[in-house]
Amino acid sequence: QVQVAESGGGLVQAGGSLGLSCATSGSRFSISDMGWYRQAPGKQRELVATITTSGIANYADSVKGRFTISRDNAKNSVYLEMNSLRPEDTAVYFCNALVKITRTTYWGQGTQVTVSS
């Protein structure tokens, strides 16, 4: 069973920065795409950013130019650097990891990010 664990959430003022980390473990097979999603209260979970094993990143329009996703393939880990944070970025941020050979996506429990105005 693959475990996915996020860390690094917290409270930050608008305009500030925060970094999230996500580590995976327990996979017998290679981790393929990894990503970050978020869910604000009363809203559906939405894409923030994804990244392939070769480092190709995809961002939601709302975070382009402010957030940067990166990964360390050797550690099966993914990171999210968040700058110029806004109150509307407040949400629980979830990490996911795709094991392509089994067509299974694994999710972490989420980490809270709160941006105060």
Side-chain angles (χ1 to χ4, degrees), residues 70-112:
S70 61
R71 67 186 288 168
D72 184 330
N73 290 330
K75 296 181 179 179
N76 285 326
S77 296
V78 64
Y79 310 95
L80 187 69
E81 179 183 346
M82 304 181 292
N83 298 312
S84 302
L85 283 161
R86 305 166 181 169
E88 53 264 39
D89 294 318
T90 295
V92 177
Y93 283 69
F94 297 90
C95 169
N96 76 0
L98 170 66
V99 177
K100 189 174 290 185
I101 196 169
T102 61
R103 301 178 186 178
T104 305
T105 298
Y106 296 90
W107 291 87
Q109 293 297 308
T111 184
Q112 177 70 46

Side-chain angles (χ1 to χ4, degrees), residues 2 7 18 24 26-28 33 51 61 74 94 113:
V2 178
S7 61
L18 205 58
T24 67
S27 178
R28 296 173 54 198
D33 295 357
I51 188 167
D61 288 343
F94 297 90
V113 172

